[in-house]
Amino acid sequence: MPYVWHDTAPEESGAVCFQLKLWPHRSLSRQGFVWVIGLTAGGLALPLLALLGSAVVWGLLPFALLAVWGLWQGIARSYGTPHEVMWLSRDRLELLRSDPGRPDRTWRTNPYWVRVGLRPGGPVEDYLVLTDGQREVELGAFLSPEERVALRDELERRLAGLRR
């Protein structure tokens, strides 16, 4: 799943504090990125090897380098996708959403009043929202519907544990 929970309170303190990190699916891992760039560079270098020693290689080399650079930039830019971080403790819930090219957005509230809900008619299927009675924010819009349902269940369980 493209989200993970961390227990951020020290063991001996007895405090309850969680951190939730969410990110969209990435079809290409960092190791896969290295392989794609390496195979592309190698594949473009093979025809150039046959032309070594001739002036034609200098005419084709800039285009091969430009193709590798363009692929590198395109994939690297896709790693700057939106992500969300939520800190949850007994007295504070803070949600930080980071989108590329936009300032970060933060929502702070008391977790006692927070309710978690799924809306079937939102912008995405099973739209996951958090509300404190005054304001409503979305959570994990980039997750799949099944992941949003699972996240809602986990979040409700952790909020209920904090209210005890």
Side-chain angles (χ1 to χ4, degrees):
M1 292 214 174
Y3 65 87
V4 64
W5 286 95
H6 296 286
D7 187 4
T8 58
E11 292 291 330
E12 62 276 354
S13 74
V16 178
C17 189
F18 303 106
Q19 182 183 43
L20 170 67
K21 291 184 179 181
L22 299 106
W23 61 91
H25 287 280
R26 292 193 176 106
S27 59
L28 188 63
S29 66
R30 295 287 182 176
Q31 185 179 6
F33 172 75
V34 171
W35 275 100
V36 166
I37 295 297
L39 290 173
T40 302
L44 289 172
L46 281 177
L48 294 177
L49 288 176
L51 299 172
L52 273 180
S54 70
V56 176
V57 75
W58 296 108
L60 295 177
L61 186 61
F63 294 104
L65 292 174
L66 185 64
V68 172
W69 178 82
L71 182 63
W72 181 297
Q73 290 298 313
I75 294 173
R77 210 168 262 198
S78 75
Y79 283 112
T81 54
H83 65 279
E84 297 172 349
V85 180
M86 183 173 68
W87 294 273
L88 180 61
S89 64
R90 289 193 190 281
D91 61 344
R92 181 179 65 117
L93 182 146
E94 184 172 335
L95 179 63
L96 173 74
R97 177 162 175 105
S98 298
D99 290 310
R102 295 182 67 185
D104 291 349
R105 293 175 284 170
T106 304
W107 182 61
R108 291 179 189 92
T109 190
N110 186 332
Y112 183 81
W113 302 109
V114 173
R115 299 296 175 252
V116 184
L118 284 177
R119 298 262 168 78
V124 293
E125 183 181 341
D126 290 331
Y127 189 64
L128 181 61
V129 293
L130 302 175
T131 184
D132 63 357
Q134 296 178 356
R135 189 168 163 209
E136 185 174 276
V137 294
E138 69 176 333
L139 182 65
F142 41 74
L143 299 175
S144 71
E146 297 82 22
E147 291 166 340
R148 285 192 290 274
V149 170
L151 179 59
R152 180 208 51 192
D153 296 341
E154 289 181 37
L155 194 53
E156 283 179 340
R157 191 172 57 250
R158 288 182 192 256
L159 284 169
L162 290 176
R163 290 182 188 122
R164 286 189 221 144

